[in-house]
Amino acid sequence: MGHEIPMARLKLNVLDFISIIIKYLMFMAGVLAFLLVVFLFSLIQVRFMPQEIIDGFTALLFIPLIMDLILISPNLPTLLLFFYLIPLLLIIIVIARISLTKILGSGIIQAVSIKPKLGRRRRERKYGLLTLLSVSIGATIGPSTFVLCPNSVKHFGAYALPGMILSSISSILLAYAYGKMYFYSKKLGNKIVGGPSFVGNAFGVKHYLYMVSRFTMWIGNVALAAFNLLIIISLVTEYMLPLFLPWLDLSTNSILYYGLKVALFILLSTIVIVSYEGWEKMVSLQSILTSIFFFLLILHIYFMATYYNVSIIPPLHELNFNPSTSGVESLILGTLTSAAYVYLMVFGFQEVQSLGENVKTKAEKPALMLKEAASILRKAMLGGSLISSIIFILYISMYINMSEKGYEIPSTLIPALDMAKPSYAAFLITLSCISLGILTTYIPAFVAALKHLKELTSDVFFIPIREVRLDPYIIIAFMGLLLLTHSEYIIKLTDFSILISLSIISISELRLRSRFTRTKSKLSLDSIRIIFTSILILSVASIFSTVYQEVAINSIIFMIMSTLVLMFLSYEILMIEVFAVTMMFFSLIITPPLISVISEFASYGMATPADIAIAQALVTTSWIIYFIFIVLLVHIVIEHRQEISKMASGLMLILRTFVNRIVKRAKIR
């Protein structure tokens, strides 16, 4: 019964969504019909004019189409590859689902689950402000610091400093907002699992803003975990092994090199899957590790500044502000772009929220205990964000001063480690610091991604909790997929996802406060703070989307693919088979005519040999997909003939009722 209610709600939402889409399509069809009529009538008028004028008008009419094709043509083969890759990926998932169902003997394999807790429940420990503050710092400052700070200076020069300051200001404002929203949510009796919960508590978990916020935050944490995983693998293969095993030359043996990377990926994935459940309980250990890491980081900065003879004082004179219009535009664009680039460094403070139920308080009354706990959490998040921001600003200033003295920042995965190589002591301290920093950020990022996935699948996809655990492996699979790209893409994917999510979270404070106070929002200092924070984050996100358009588009494609995979691992087989068949049907309709466009371009010498080769491969692929389409269609008809028979009977009944009504009306008239 509990399963039927979510499914009924899902079907209702799907029908509502389809009706909205149909309305939009009808409107679009009407507009296109009107424009097409105007276009065809204009051609009739042109037909009766002299030949020279006809040629001129025809060229003018079709110039936009020709220009569009010329602009699209370089990317058309790649686009068509995706048109076929997506349905093929869906088919593989369908077959995997059918196979797993047969092997495990279960009607449906769910993506989200919770292991039953056996035995006596232990008493949960309580933590004070200092412990929570160390957790906040540890979750914020990590190995990304040694990559993004030097790279930001390399990419944006002196503008890296105001960009870092801007990101820090927004993180401090967000930390304060998180503390307020935590208190509002608890008073309203709502659950809190990460920042997107505030959006759900403000607008409802069925609201599109909550869905977008939760989904983008999940993607951001998956990408962050993948980035940390990439650093670990590179740290071992490119820095540790050459240091401790100098006789082992991986550069001459590519099979051994990539085999070692795959083995490390499997080993690290196994470690995180085995240890993530107990990691959150080891808060005291996290606090100790953070203290050691912080000490090593200070030593690293000292040795680097001493070796290169540079200061860590922010070099404000390096900005060379030009009061002209172009100078102001350059400052604004450079600041916002660099702020977007380093944003994944500053949002770790929110992980402290998971310990909201374990805050040590002195009060005894529940109302006073909640107020004190919210205050301690807010101080921990604010303090962690503020201390981390100071470290980031000083650290990035050191690299700007290095650049000013003529030192070049290397184009490697971990520039800080490469720049520390000339000093053996600095190199060992940096290596130890990064290794320890990975412990304080890699597992927390994985745990955060797992929590967001569970909330996403239960709130958005209405998936009930089952015993078969697939959720950690879904995250590992996506991390592996991201490792096939490069570090810059992972960094920008994280930035884009986090910025979108945080911009929605920041604006939801207004609605949540109104729900708490049960009054309409009025203009006040608190409202101005909320609006300013939202505008600040939205500005950074907008500039990022403008400057890195390709990354933004690829991020959206990755999010869509992630959604499809989650759906296919969660819903009933009949539903996903029908969806896969529909996707294949549309691909088979759209793609073949576009393949002929590539051939047409080839005849005019406008297609490269690679484009022609892809077009030929796509022609062969089309026939294979036709075969797969027919097989899957036959499988649906045979395996689900009873459901299809019921659906056909229902449709016939609806059609018969409709025809009878028309006949009755005709007789009355």
Side-chain angles (χ1 to χ4, degrees):
M1 188 69 183
H3 176 67
E4 292 175 0
I5 293 172
M7 287 305 297
R9 196 184 306 160
L10 173 64
K11 289 176 182 177
L12 185 62
N13 288 345
V14 169
L15 289 173
D16 290 340
F17 176 74
I18 291 171
S19 64
I20 292 169
I21 293 295
I22 288 172
K23 288 177 182 177
Y24 280 116
L25 290 175
M26 287 297 293
F27 175 75
M28 187 185 297
V31 172
L32 289 173
F34 173 75
L35 293 174
L36 191 60
V37 167
V38 173
F39 175 72
L40 294 176
F41 267 112
S42 65
L43 287 179
I44 291 173
Q45 298 299 320
V46 170
R47 181 68 183 82
F48 297 102
M49 293 181 179
Q51 188 64 37
E52 296 81 8
I53 298 176
I54 291 174
D55 294 340
F57 266 99
T58 305
L60 286 172
L61 286 169
F62 284 96
I63 276 177
L65 179 61
I66 294 167
M67 291 301 295
D68 286 342
L69 286 174
I70 290 173
L71 289 170
I72 291 172
S73 63
N75 299 318
L76 184 60
T78 307
L79 184 67
L80 296 181
L81 281 174
F82 277 105
F83 277 10
Y84 276 163
L85 282 171
I86 290 173
L88 286 172
L89 177 63
L90 298 181
I91 291 301
I92 291 170
I93 297 172
V94 167
I95 294 168
R97 275 291 311 278
I98 294 170
S99 302
L100 283 171
T101 303
K102 296 292 185 184
I103 293 168
L104 298 176
S106 172
I108 179 170
I109 297 176
Q110 299 294 344
V112 178
S113 58
I114 294 177
K115 285 183 178 178
K117 303 292 181 182
L118 301 176
R120 190 173 61 184
R121 186 177 178 181
R122 294 194 310 173
R123 186 179 177 183
E124 293 184 338
R125 294 187 62 181
K126 301 292 182 180
Y127 306 102
L129 177 60
L130 287 177
T131 303
L132 295 174
L133 180 62
S134 65
V135 171
S136 178
I137 295 170
T140 305
I141 306 177
S144 58
T145 308
F146 303 93
V147 178
L148 294 181
C149 284
N151 276 343
S152 180
V153 175
K154 185 178 181 65
H155 295 327
F156 307 106
Y159 291 131
L161 179 59
M164 190 70 253
I165 293 171
L166 189 66
S167 292
S168 300
I169 291 170
S170 69
S171 73
I172 292 167
L173 290 171
L174 268 174
Y176 182 81
Y178 265 62
K180 300 275 282 186
M181 288 189 282
Y182 178 87
F183 179 73
Y184 296 151
S185 297
K186 282 295 181 182
K187 288 293 284 184
L188 290 168
N190 301 132
K191 68 174 181 178
I192 301 171
V193 183
S197 292
F198 299 139
V199 185
N201 297 337
F203 298 99
V205 294
K206 304 301 180 287
H207 199 276
Y208 69 92
L209 287 177
Y210 169 73
M211 297 180 186
V212 173
S213 176
R214 180 67 76 183
F215 194 83
T216 50
M217 185 62 78
W218 172 64
I219 291 292
N221 278 281
V222 171
L224 181 60
F227 180 67
N228 282 286
L229 189 59
L230 178 64
I231 290 177
I232 302 171
I233 293 172
S234 300
L235 199 67
V236 173
T237 56
E238 297 175 23
Y239 295 95
M240 287 185 175
L241 287 180
L243 177 66
F244 299 112
L245 300 174
W247 50 268
L248 183 64
D249 189 7
L250 294 174
S251 60
T252 58
N253 193 335
S254 58
I255 296 175
L256 179 62
Y257 178 71
Y258 289 109
L260 183 60
K261 284 195 169 186
V262 171
L264 282 170
F265 170 72
I266 295 170
L267 175 64
L268 293 166
S269 300
T270 306
I271 289 171
V272 77
I273 287 173
V274 170
S275 62
Y276 77 88
E277 287 187 325
W279 176 255
E280 284 188 300
K281 299 173 186 176
M282 297 187 289
V283 177
S284 300
L285 177 61
Q286 293 180 49
S287 180
I288 294 168
L289 291 175
T290 299
S291 301
I292 299 170
F293 169 77
F294 197 76
F295 175 71
L296 290 173
L297 178 62
I298 299 299
L299 280 180
H300 159 74
I301 294 172
Y302 171 76
F303 274 104
M304 292 287 284
T306 304
Y307 181 82
Y308 287 98
N309 193 24
V310 293
S311 171
I312 59 172
I313 304 299
L316 299 176
H317 63 279
E318 274 293 297
L319 291 175
N320 294 327
F321 177 68
N322 184 358
S324 64
T325 304
S326 60
V328 173
E329 289 178 357
S330 178
L331 176 64
I332 293 172
L333 183 63
T335 300
L336 290 173
T337 309
S338 61
Y341 184 77
V342 298
Y343 214 88
L344 74 84
M345 294 167 55
V346 301
F347 79 101
F349 64 86
Q350 61 180 338
E351 299 307 321
V352 183
Q353 278 187 133
S354 62
L355 299 171
E357 302 296 328
N358 304 89
V359 179
K360 187 188 294 181
T361 57
K362 295 179 181 178
E364 295 181 359
K365 294 182 179 180
L368 294 176
M369 286 175 63
L370 174 60
K371 193 172 182 180
E372 187 181 353
S375 176
I376 291 172
L377 275 177
R378 183 166 63 248
K379 288 175 183 177
M381 289 188 287
L382 273 171
S385 184
L386 182 61
I387 293 170
S388 301
S389 297
I390 292 169
I391 295 294
F392 292 149
I393 290 168
L394 295 176
Y395 194 57
I396 216 164
S397 299
M398 182 181 73
Y399 284 103
I400 294 174
N401 291 327
M402 286 182 186
S403 182
E404 184 186 359
K405 282 199 168 187
Y407 294 107
E408 186 178 355
I409 297 171
S411 299
T412 55
L413 180 61
I414 314 175
L417 199 53
D418 287 281
M419 294 191 76
K421 278 182 177 179
S423 171
Y424 190 71
F427 180 74
L428 284 180
I429 289 170
T430 307
L431 189 65
S432 304
C433 192
I434 295 172
S435 302
L436 198 59
I438 288 166
L439 281 176
T440 61
T441 52
Y442 171 50
I443 299 178
F446 181 86
V447 171
L450 192 60
K451 288 180 178 178
H452 289 299
L453 175 60
K454 288 179 178 178
E455 295 301 309
L456 178 72
T457 48
S458 61
D459 292 340
V460 177
F461 297 113
F462 312 111
I463 300 169
I465 294 171
R466 294 294 175 91
E467 294 303 323
V468 180
R469 293 196 64 95
L470 290 180
D471 38 329
Y473 303 101
I474 291 172
I475 294 173
I476 293 294
F478 279 117
M479 286 165 59
L481 183 64
L482 286 172
L483 288 180
L484 297 176
T485 62
H486 51 86
S487 59
E488 283 294 309
Y489 176 74
I490 298 174
I491 290 168
K492 289 168 183 173
L493 173 64
T494 310
D495 289 328
F496 179 72
S497 305
I498 295 302
L499 283 167
I500 295 297
S501 185
L502 290 179
S503 61
I504 297 171
I505 293 169
S506 62
I507 199 65
S508 65
E509 186 183 352
L510 279 174
R511 180 68 175 269
L512 192 58
R513 189 185 64 180
S514 297
R515 283 196 62 201
F516 171 69
T517 58
R518 297 182 180 179
T519 57
K520 291 185 178 180
S521 296
K522 296 179 181 179
L523 190 62
S524 60
L525 287 175
D526 207 36
S527 300
I528 292 170
R529 172 189 60 81
I530 296 168
I531 294 167
F532 175 76
T533 306
S534 303
I535 291 173
L536 188 62
I537 300 172
L538 278 170
S539 300
V540 175
S542 301
I543 290 297
F544 181 95
S545 302
T546 305
V547 174
Y548 302 113
Q549 288 183 14
E550 185 179 352
V551 174
I553 293 169
N554 289 339
S555 301
I556 293 168
I557 292 171
F558 182 78
M559 292 174 192
I560 293 170
M561 288 297 299
S562 305
T563 307
L564 292 176
V565 171
L566 285 177
M567 289 171 63
F568 268 55
L569 287 171
S570 306
Y571 292 139
E572 293 184 3
I573 292 177
L574 176 59
M575 186 182 294
I576 62 175
E577 280 191 89
V578 170
F579 185 79
V581 166
T582 306
M583 290 290 292
M584 291 183 72
F585 177 72
F586 281 116
S587 294
L588 290 170
I589 289 177
I590 295 169
T591 309
L594 291 174
I595 296 173
S596 63
V597 171
I598 300 176
S599 303
E600 193 68 24
F601 275 117
S603 64
Y604 288 102
M606 297 173 66
T608 63
D611 295 340
I612 298 169
I614 290 173
Q616 294 298 319
L618 289 172
V619 171
T620 307
T621 305
S622 298
W623 289 105
I624 298 171
I625 290 181
Y626 273 118
F627 170 76
I628 296 171
F629 175 76
I630 293 168
V631 169
L632 193 59
L633 201 60
V634 171
H635 178 268
I636 292 173
V637 173
I638 293 173
E639 291 292 325
H640 307 284
R641 54 187 178 274
Q642 293 181 353
E643 291 90 341
I644 293 170
S645 177
K646 289 178 182 178
M647 289 172 61
S649 301
L651 287 173
M652 288 299 295
L653 183 61
I654 293 169
L655 184 61
R656 191 184 306 163
T657 306
F658 180 71
V659 172
N660 289 336
R661 284 181 182 178
I662 293 174
V663 172
K664 285 180 181 179
R665 286 179 184 178
K667 288 180 178 179
I668 292 170
R669 290 179 182 178

